[in-house]
Amino acid sequence: MNGVVYEIPPRSGTSFFLNKGQILTVIDPMGGQVADLLSISRADTGEKISSGRTLDYAETLYLTTGFQLYSNRSNVMLDIIEDTVGRHDFLLTPCSEATFRLCYDDEPTHQGCHGNLVNALAQYGIADDDIPVAFNCFMNVPVDGATGRFKVEPPLSRAGDYIRFRAQMDLIIGLTACSAPASNGGSFKPIHYTIDD
Amino acid sequence: MNGVVYEIPPRSGTSFFLNKGQILTVIDPMGGQVADLLSISRADTGEKISSGRTLDYAETLYLTTGFQLYSNRSNVMLDIIEDTVGRHDFLLTPCSEATFRLCYDDEPTHQGCHGNLVNALAQYGIADDDIPVAFNCFMNVPVDGATGRFKVEPPLSRAGDYIRFRAQMDLIIGLTACSAPASNGGSFKPIHYTIDD
């Protein structure tokens, strides 16, 4: 463990390398905040995290300790090895400027986590259209199984809660501190993360 | 209406143009079969159907008449204008050869709807990695809201049931007759479709 705690300021995003075997811990330092996570193979950036493959193999919407996040080529990218919350979302794609126009028309638009991920990943040649559905850490989207209806509720995470992943391949990670009012209960907060060998 | 009923043979796929304003009807001629549908903008093939954007705007897993299928750029691609079944899936991505290895290890592998879509769309420059989560017509994936667990059940569609879409832009459509045992109750059947002005 290198002991460094990195901070992602509110409504922003970053990217970094995570080597095979390294452990990424995504921490909600104040509670009630969402972090959108993307993973992309360093060996070939066409291989990236896939909600459709992951859900297909997991057979559950609520991914937690013991589940794996798969790529579009059906390879495991990340194992979830610890999780103090147990509620994350893999249905909704990161908010964009269009999302703000369509869903938050009483607020100033913001580029959202989508725009923040586009900016953070451009240096690796990832185009806007290549941003897939992110794994939305701490995002709370309860589903009514009878009707299929769902809504975005404030996260269940409390200050210091975290989710921990082990990389199964050399990865580029994109990670944000959420920009959308609904998913974090209207409060914009930072996200912390650590990388351990 | 041009009166032509096109047939997609069992475990295969096709692609065709659908112009803005035209109506596509996807028909289950025998009942209990699934058809995976992709839409891609003809003006710029980087714009394509997005499960994450569509679910975000619809706020339901069970899309039916009155809902719209959105692109990754938040534009409406297809309106669902009629639906005699009311149960389709937008969670799981089309089966691939890897899906068969991982989920159907007692059966010969098959390229699945993913491979069929790759082959059908290659002529338009769509790469394998660019195939997104498809809208799975007639696919029946009930979800337990309390646990998040879901499973793939046989479709609720009976012979002659259909779902009808109106194009909101000039599209390339990819469409299949499902290749995976679970999603069609172990019976491989054709899919029919019509295109009307």
Side-chain angles (χ1 to χ4, degrees):
Chain A
M1 181 164 180
N2 67 15
V4 178
V5 178
Y6 301 93
E7 175 161 311
I8 306 175
R11 306 188 101 179
S12 74
T14 189
S15 62
F16 50 88
F17 282 180
L18 189 71
N19 298 327
K20 181 176 178 177
Q22 282 189 318
I23 292 169
L24 168 66
T25 306
V26 179
I27 304 155
D28 183 355
M30 301 171 70
Q33 173 61 311
V34 166
D36 285 358
L37 181 147
L38 288 184
S39 59
I40 296 155
S41 166
R42 287 226 291 285
D44 182 346
T45 57
E47 181 165 16
K48 54 199 171 193
I49 195 167
S50 166
S51 63
R53 292 263 169 256
T54 299
L55 294 176
D56 200 356
Y57 298 141
E59 298 184 315
T60 182
L61 297 181
Y62 302 144
L63 300 159
T64 183
T65 309
F67 286 95
Q68 301 174 304
L69 305 185
Y70 281 84
S71 77
N72 54 335
R73 299 181 192 171
S74 292
N75 297 311
V76 177
M77 303 193 104
L78 292 160
D79 290 317
I80 304 177
I81 59 173
E82 204 177 342
D83 176 15
T84 66
V85 180
R87 179 57 65 92
H88 315 279
D89 171 69
F90 213 179
L91 298 175
L92 306 182
T93 206
C95 281
S96 64
E97 194 179 320
T99 315
F100 273 82
R101 282 200 311 274
L102 290 165
C103 301
Y104 300 111
D105 56 3
D106 54 343
E107 302 215 11
T109 61
H110 188 278
Q111 67 179 4
C113 283
H114 182 88
N116 287 330
L117 288 165
V118 168
N119 290 347
L121 294 167
Q123 63 187 304
Y124 306 110
I126 312 297
D128 189 319
D129 285 331
D130 294 335
I131 302 288
V133 174
F135 183 72
N136 304 308
C137 304
F138 315 125
M139 190 164 172
N140 181 18
V141 184
V143 172
D144 181 325
T147 64
R149 302 285 298 177
F150 57 79
K151 50 187 173 177
V152 178
E153 300 271 10
L156 303 178
S157 48
R158 290 162 304 180
D161 272 332
Y162 60 87
I163 179 169
R164 184 164 281 161
F165 308 89
R166 181 183 288 117
Q168 289 291 352
M169 62 175 77
D170 289 341
L171 296 170
I172 302 163
I173 298 289
L175 191 66
T176 69
C178 175
S179 310
S183 52
N184 52 34
S187 67
F188 306 114
K189 299 167 184 166
I191 285 289
H192 289 177
Y193 67 95
T194 62
I195 299 173
D196 300 303
D197 290 320
Chain B
M1 181 165 180
N2 66 16
V4 178
V5 178
Y6 300 94
E7 176 161 310
I8 305 174
R11 305 187 100 180
S12 73
T14 190
S15 62
F16 50 88
F17 282 0
L18 189 72
N19 298 327
K20 181 176 179 177
Q22 283 189 317
I23 292 169
L24 167 66
T25 306
V26 179
I27 305 156
D28 183 355
M30 301 172 70
Q33 175 60 312
V34 166
D36 285 358
L37 180 147
L38 288 184
S39 58
I40 297 155
S41 166
R42 287 225 294 285
D44 182 344
T45 57
E47 181 165 16
K48 54 199 172 194
I49 193 168
S50 167
S51 62
R53 291 265 168 254
T54 299
L55 293 175
D56 201 357
Y57 298 139
E59 298 184 314
T60 182
L61 298 181
Y62 303 143
L63 301 159
T64 184
T65 309
F67 286 96
Q68 300 174 305
L69 305 185
Y70 280 84
S71 77
N72 54 335
R73 299 182 192 170
S74 292
N75 297 311
V76 176
M77 302 193 103
L78 293 161
D79 290 317
I80 304 177
I81 59 172
E82 204 177 341
D83 175 15
T84 65
V85 179
R87 179 58 65 93
H88 315 277
D89 171 70
F90 212 0
L91 298 175
L92 306 183
T93 205
C95 281
S96 64
E97 194 179 319
T99 315
F100 273 83
R101 282 199 311 274
L102 291 166
C103 302
Y104 300 111
D105 56 3
D106 55 341
E107 303 214 12
T109 60
H110 188 279
Q111 69 178 3
C113 284
H114 182 87
N116 288 330
L117 288 164
V118 169
N119 289 347
L121 294 167
Q123 63 186 303
Y124 306 110
I126 311 298
D128 188 318
D129 285 330
D130 295 335
I131 301 289
V133 174
F135 183 71
N136 305 307
C137 305
F138 314 126
M139 190 163 172
N140 181 19
V141 184
V143 172
D144 180 325
T147 66
R149 303 283 300 176
F150 57 78
K151 50 187 174 177
V152 178
E153 300 271 10
L156 303 178
S157 48
R158 292 162 302 180
D161 272 333
Y162 61 86
I163 180 169
R164 184 164 281 160
F165 308 89
R166 181 183 288 116
Q168 289 292 351
M169 60 175 79
D170 289 340
L171 297 171
I172 302 162
I173 298 288
L175 192 64
T176 69
C178 174
S179 309
S183 52
N184 52 36
S187 68
F188 306 115
K189 299 166 184 166
I191 285 290
H192 288 178
Y193 67 95
T194 62
I195 298 173
D196 300 303
D197 290 320

